[in-house]
Amino acid sequence: MSAGLLERLKDGGSVICAEGYLWELERRGYLRSGVFTPEIILDQPERVKNLHEEFVHAGSDVVEAFTYYGHRDKMKKIGREDELETLNLRALKIAREVADSTNTLMAGNLSNTTTFDPDDPTTADNSRRIFKEQVEWAVKGGADYIIGETFSEIQEAHLALEAIQKYGNGLPAVITLAPYGPKRTVDCVPFPQALRQLEEAGAAVVGINCGRGPATMIPILKEIRQVCKGPIAALPVPFRTTPGEPTFHRLTDPTTGKSAFPLELSAVQCTRSDVRQFAETAKEIGVQYIGLCCGSSSFLLREVAEVYGRTPPASKYSPNLEASFVIGKDISKHAQKVKQFMFGEDE
């Protein structure tokens, strides 16, 4: 039987969690950008199963059920609210099967509802109903723990945690906030203090996901590590954010100068080296729960896994540039000529 979340994190252990299913499936042509609803679970579930397997192949310790935005309000927008329970239970079943076959953990998933408004108490009641449903389905589907992610307000994060504690049959909770603003939540609580509150309220792991790329997430992680006592989580978007453009929403295409979000972000994608450097720094800080969020791909996740001491099946195919016929060792005289043309060394 696979070790549980808390057991894996005990004594400084680590957990690698692949996220970013929405964006990766949209990139592959199976999901619509904008509404970002996971109806692929209903229409082409095998594609989701394949992506689960691919992320595990790259080093993920967790198969996260694809129920992000799989809630009543979102499904109403596409006229498929009546299929909501089917969607959730099918997503959980697929994730459970992959986790069982790969000796990994299976996580249920809650997300920001997009309808929560801290100034409107009725929206809090709606979030509670959404979270209750999804937590109960996660328990029924055999989740090992439950993730609540991408909350821009600490108030909604607390609602998710409360639902997990009330209806989750004792399952551990991983709660992560989205660091959109200048070091504080939308409801104006500094991230370290907000996460410490969630930790004190009973979350097993707290941290940040989405919004920021590696370069602009690291400074916040250092502050969080100083305040929080238990395991902390970091799941950045793999895009080249900067102090001037700290979130991927603010990134501009370096060629056109136009906004890159959301459809032109490939122009500012992180490299493997960017991701590897992030993972190395996160490990030094003491981040125990790590992954990548929107924009993640398996070849980037492999970089994280290898830094954290894993040798996943995908490592069999890690680059070996010494074997290249033009940039490797002991290349032929003709290959040297080809190299000169390729790299402009004759110009």
Side-chain angles (χ1 to χ4, degrees):
M1 183 177 178
S2 176
L5 175 71
L6 301 182
E7 187 178 353
R8 290 176 185 234
L9 293 171
K10 187 179 178 181
D11 300 324
S14 60
V15 168
I16 296 167
C17 180
E19 291 190 353
Y21 284 88
L22 280 175
W23 284 67
E24 183 62 4
L25 288 165
E26 189 279 332
R27 187 183 69 83
R28 297 181 182 196
Y30 297 105
L31 192 147
R32 187 184 297 275
S33 181
V35 67
F36 280 122
T37 44
E39 65 266 31
I40 186 175
I41 285 288
L42 300 169
D43 300 335
Q44 298 192 61
E46 70 282 358
R47 302 293 181 181
V48 179
K49 181 180 180 183
N50 290 344
L51 187 54
H52 284 320
E53 292 171 338
E54 184 177 320
F55 280 149
V56 171
H57 179 78
S60 184
D61 298 317
V62 180
V63 181
E64 182 179 18
F66 187 38
T67 57
Y68 191 101
Y69 285 168
H71 61 71
R72 197 164 297 281
D73 286 356
K74 275 286 189 177
M75 296 304 286
K76 276 182 184 177
K77 290 182 178 294
I78 60 170
R80 302 185 73 169
E81 181 188 1
D82 60 334
E83 299 174 87
L84 181 63
E85 182 174 4
T86 299
L87 182 150
N88 277 264
L89 292 178
R90 182 175 297 173
L92 289 155
K93 183 175 185 291
I94 292 168
R96 184 73 267 168
E97 289 173 352
V98 174
D100 288 344
S101 68
T102 56
N103 198 35
T104 51
L105 298 171
M106 192 275 269
N109 181 244
L110 309 178
S111 63
N112 58 313
T113 61
T114 74
T115 56
F116 177 77
D117 181 347
D119 296 323
D120 182 352
T122 64
T123 66
D125 291 337
N126 187 55
S127 293
R128 288 188 184 95
R129 285 191 293 270
I130 286 171
F131 295 149
K132 178 180 184 292
E133 278 188 322
Q134 289 198 289
V135 169
E136 290 177 338
W137 287 326
V139 171
K140 186 175 181 179
D144 296 308
Y145 71 99
I146 300 177
I147 297 167
E149 60 167 299
T150 326
F151 298 110
S152 55
E153 293 96 356
I154 187 175
Q155 295 174 60
E156 190 172 39
H158 273 293
L159 294 177
L161 176 58
E162 289 166 7
I164 295 169
Q165 292 171 327
K166 188 172 183 179
Y167 306 107
N169 199 30
L171 293 179
V174 173
I175 306 293
T176 54
L177 303 174
Y180 298 142
K183 299 189 177 183
R184 63 180 182 271
T185 63
V186 173
D187 42 1
C188 296
V189 182
F191 288 114
Q193 284 68 41
L195 293 171
R196 179 61 182 149
Q197 288 178 29
L198 290 163
E199 189 177 57
E200 290 176 333
V205 180
V206 296
I208 49 179
N209 80 290
C210 204
R212 291 180 180 250
T216 54
M217 183 173 279
I218 286 294
I220 301 177
L221 290 172
K222 290 179 179 178
E223 296 180 15
I224 292 168
R225 181 66 289 169
Q226 292 177 353
V227 173
C228 291
K229 309 301 182 184
I232 63 170
L235 300 99
V237 294
F239 299 106
R240 286 183 158 176
T241 53
T242 67
E245 297 177 342
T247 68
F248 72 156
H249 309 92
R250 306 185 197 184
L251 285 170
T252 53
D253 184 318
T255 300
T256 67
K258 296 179 180 179
S259 175
F261 184 87
L263 302 181
E264 309 301 332
L265 284 167
S266 56
V268 285
Q269 181 87 40
C270 282
T271 66
R272 303 172 198 231
S273 296
D274 293 337
V275 171
R276 179 171 285 269
Q277 183 178 356
F278 166 77
E280 289 170 349
T281 304
K283 189 176 180 182
E284 291 172 3
I285 291 170
V287 173
Q288 290 179 251
Y289 186 103
I290 191 166
L292 297 171
C293 200
C294 302
S296 177
S297 291
S298 55
F299 79 103
L300 294 176
L301 187 70
R302 179 177 62 189
E303 299 293 326
V304 176
E306 290 179 347
V307 168
Y308 271 72
R310 310 297 200 275
T311 307
S315 291
K316 176 181 178 180
Y317 305 104
S318 292
N320 176 16
L321 299 184
E322 291 185 359
S324 169
F325 89 102
V326 288
I327 59 174
K329 288 186 174 181
D330 303 320
I331 63 175
S332 68
K333 186 175 181 180
H334 177 67
Q336 291 175 5
K337 183 177 181 180
V338 173
K339 180 180 179 180
Q340 289 174 347
F341 273 77
M342 281 183 171
F343 293 96
E345 295 176 11
D346 64 322
E347 298 176 2

Coordinates of all heavy atoms in Angstrom, one line a residue, residues 143-174:
A143 N -10.4 9.3 -2.3 CA -9.2 10.2 -2.3 C -8.4 9.9 -1.0 O -8.9 9.6 0.0 CB -9.7 11.7 -2.3
D144 N -7.1 10.1 -1.2 CA -6.1 10.0 0.0 C -6.0 11.3 0.7 O -5.7 11.3 1.9 CB -4.7 9.6 -0.6 CG -4.8 8.2 -1.2 OD1 -5.2 7.2 -0.6 OD2 -4.3 8.1 -2.4
Y145 N -6.2 12.4 0.1 CA -6.3 13.7 0.7 C -7.0 14.6 -0.3 O -7.3 14.2 -1.4 CB -4.9 14.2 1.1 CG -4.0 14.6 -0.1 CD1 -3.8 16.0 -0.4 CD2 -3.2 13.7 -0.7 CE1 -3.0 16.4 -1.4 CE2 -2.3 14.1 -1.8 CZ -2.2 15.4 -2.1 OH -1.4 15.8 -3.1
I146 N -7.2 15.9 0.2 CA -8.0 16.8 -0.7 C -7.2 18.1 -0.8 O -6.7 18.7 0.2 CB -9.4 17.1 -0.1 CG1 -10.2 15.8 -0.1 CG2 -10.1 18.1 -1.0 CD1 -11.6 15.9 0.5
I147 N -7.1 18.6 -2.0 CA -6.4 19.8 -2.3 C -7.5 20.9 -2.5 O -8.5 20.7 -3.2 CB -5.6 19.7 -3.6 CG1 -4.5 18.7 -3.5 CG2 -5.1 21.1 -4.1 CD1 -3.9 18.4 -4.9
G148 N -7.2 22.1 -1.8 CA -8.0 23.3 -2.1 C -7.1 24.3 -2.6 O -6.1 24.7 -1.9
E149 N -7.3 24.8 -3.8 CA -6.2 25.6 -4.5 C -6.8 26.9 -5.1 O -7.9 27.0 -5.4 CB -5.5 24.7 -5.5 CG -6.4 24.2 -6.6 CD -5.6 23.6 -7.7 OE1 -4.9 24.4 -8.4 OE2 -5.8 22.4 -8.0
T150 N -5.8 27.8 -5.4 CA -6.0 29.0 -6.2 C -7.0 29.9 -5.6 O -7.8 30.6 -6.3 CB -6.4 28.6 -7.7 OG1 -5.7 27.4 -8.0 CG2 -5.9 29.7 -8.6
F151 N -7.0 30.1 -4.3 CA -7.9 31.0 -3.7 C -7.2 32.4 -3.6 O -6.1 32.5 -3.1 CB -8.2 30.5 -2.2 CG -8.9 29.2 -2.2 CD1 -8.3 28.1 -1.8 CD2 -10.2 29.1 -2.7 CE1 -9.0 26.8 -1.7 CE2 -10.9 27.9 -2.7 CZ -10.3 26.7 -2.2
S152 N -7.9 33.4 -4.1 CA -7.4 34.7 -4.0 C -7.7 35.4 -2.7 O -7.1 36.4 -2.3 CB -7.8 35.6 -5.2 OG -9.3 35.6 -5.3
E153 N -8.8 34.9 -2.0 CA -9.1 35.5 -0.7 C -9.0 34.4 0.4 O -9.4 33.3 0.2 CB -10.6 36.0 -0.7 CG -10.9 37.2 -1.6 CD -11.4 36.8 -2.9 OE1 -11.5 35.5 -3.2 OE2 -11.7 37.7 -3.7
I154 N -8.4 34.8 1.5 CA -8.3 33.8 2.6 C -9.6 33.4 3.1 O -9.8 32.2 3.5 CB -7.4 34.4 3.7 CG1 -7.2 33.3 4.7 CG2 -8.1 35.6 4.3 CD1 -6.2 33.7 5.9
Q155 N -10.6 34.2 3.0 CA -12.0 33.8 3.5 C -12.5 32.6 2.7 O -13.1 31.7 3.3 CB -12.9 35.0 3.3 CG -12.5 36.2 4.2 CD -13.4 37.4 3.9 OE1 -14.7 37.3 4.1 NE2 -12.9 38.5 3.5
E156 N -12.4 32.6 1.4 CA -12.8 31.4 0.7 C -12.0 30.2 0.9 O -12.5 29.0 1.0 CB -12.9 31.7 -0.8 CG -13.7 30.5 -1.5 CD -14.0 30.8 -3.0 OE1 -13.1 31.4 -3.7 OE2 -15.1 30.4 -3.4
A157 N -10.7 30.4 1.1 CA -9.8 29.3 1.5 C -10.2 28.6 2.8 O -10.2 27.4 3.0 CB -8.4 29.8 1.6
H158 N -10.6 29.5 3.8 CA -11.1 28.9 5.0 C -12.4 28.1 4.8 O -12.6 27.1 5.5 CB -11.4 30.1 6.0 CG -10.2 30.4 6.8 ND1 -9.6 29.6 7.8 CD2 -9.4 31.6 6.8 CE1 -8.5 30.2 8.3 NE2 -8.4 31.4 7.8
L159 N -13.3 28.6 3.9 CA -14.5 27.8 3.7 C -14.2 26.5 3.1 O -14.8 25.5 3.5 CB -15.4 28.6 2.7 CG -15.9 30.0 3.2 CD1 -16.7 30.6 2.1 CD2 -16.8 29.8 4.4
A160 N -13.2 26.4 2.2 CA -12.8 25.1 1.7 C -12.2 24.2 2.7 O -12.6 23.0 2.8 CB -11.8 25.3 0.5
L161 N -11.4 24.7 3.6 CA -10.8 23.9 4.6 C -11.8 23.4 5.6 O -11.8 22.3 6.0 CB -9.7 24.8 5.4 CG -9.1 24.1 6.6 CD1 -8.4 22.8 6.2 CD2 -8.1 25.1 7.3
E162 N -12.8 24.3 5.9 CA -13.9 23.9 6.8 C -14.7 22.8 6.2 O -15.1 21.8 7.0 CB -14.8 25.1 7.1 CG -14.1 26.1 8.0 CD -14.9 27.5 8.1 OE1 -16.0 27.5 7.5 OE2 -14.3 28.4 8.7
A163 N -14.9 22.8 4.9 CA -15.7 21.8 4.3 C -14.9 20.4 4.3 O -15.5 19.4 4.6 CB -16.0 22.2 2.9
I164 N -13.6 20.5 4.1 CA -12.8 19.3 4.1 C -12.8 18.7 5.5 O -13.0 17.5 5.7 CB -11.4 19.6 3.7 CG1 -11.4 20.0 2.2 CG2 -10.5 18.4 3.9 CD1 -10.0 20.6 1.7
Q165 N -12.7 19.6 6.5 CA -12.7 19.1 7.9 C -14.1 18.5 8.3 O -14.2 17.5 9.1 CB -12.3 20.2 8.8 CG -10.8 20.6 8.7 CD -10.5 21.9 9.4 OE1 -11.3 22.8 9.6 NE2 -9.2 21.9 9.9
K166 N -15.2 19.1 7.8 CA -16.5 18.7 8.2 C -17.0 17.5 7.5 O -17.7 16.6 8.1 CB -17.5 19.9 8.0 CG -18.9 19.6 8.6 CD -19.7 20.9 8.5 CE -21.1 20.7 9.2 NZ -21.9 21.9 9.1
Y167 N -16.7 17.4 6.2 CA -17.3 16.3 5.4 C -16.2 15.4 4.8 O -16.6 14.4 4.1 CB -18.0 17.0 4.2 CG -19.1 18.0 4.6 CD1 -18.9 19.3 4.4 CD2 -20.3 17.5 5.3 CE1 -19.9 20.2 4.8 CE2 -21.2 18.4 5.7 CZ -21.0 19.8 5.5 OH -22.0 20.7 5.9
G168 N -15.0 15.6 5.1 CA -13.9 14.8 4.5 C -13.5 13.6 5.2 O -12.4 13.0 4.8
N169 N -14.2 13.2 6.2 CA -13.9 11.9 6.9 C -12.5 11.8 7.3 O -11.8 10.7 7.3 CB -14.2 10.7 5.9 CG -14.4 9.4 6.6 OD1 -14.9 9.4 7.8 ND2 -14.1 8.3 5.9
G170 N -11.9 12.9 7.8 CA -10.6 12.9 8.4 C -9.4 13.0 7.4 O -8.3 12.9 7.8
L171 N -9.7 13.2 6.1 CA -8.7 13.3 5.1 C -7.8 14.6 5.3 O -8.4 15.7 5.6 CB -9.2 13.3 3.7 CG -9.9 12.0 3.2 CD1 -10.5 12.2 1.8 CD2 -8.9 10.8 3.3
P172 N -6.5 14.5 5.1 CA -5.7 15.7 5.2 C -6.0 16.7 4.1 O -6.5 16.4 3.0 CB -4.3 15.2 5.0 CG -4.3 13.7 5.2 CD -5.7 13.3 4.8
A173 N -5.8 18.0 4.4 CA -6.1 19.1 3.5 C -4.8 19.8 3.1 O -4.0 20.2 4.0 CB -7.1 20.1 4.1
V174 N -4.6 20.1 1.8 CA -3.5 20.9 1.3 C -4.2 22.2 0.8 O -5.0 22.1 -0.1 CB -2.7 20.2 0.2 CG1 -1.7 21.2 -0.4 CG2 -2.0 19.0 0.8

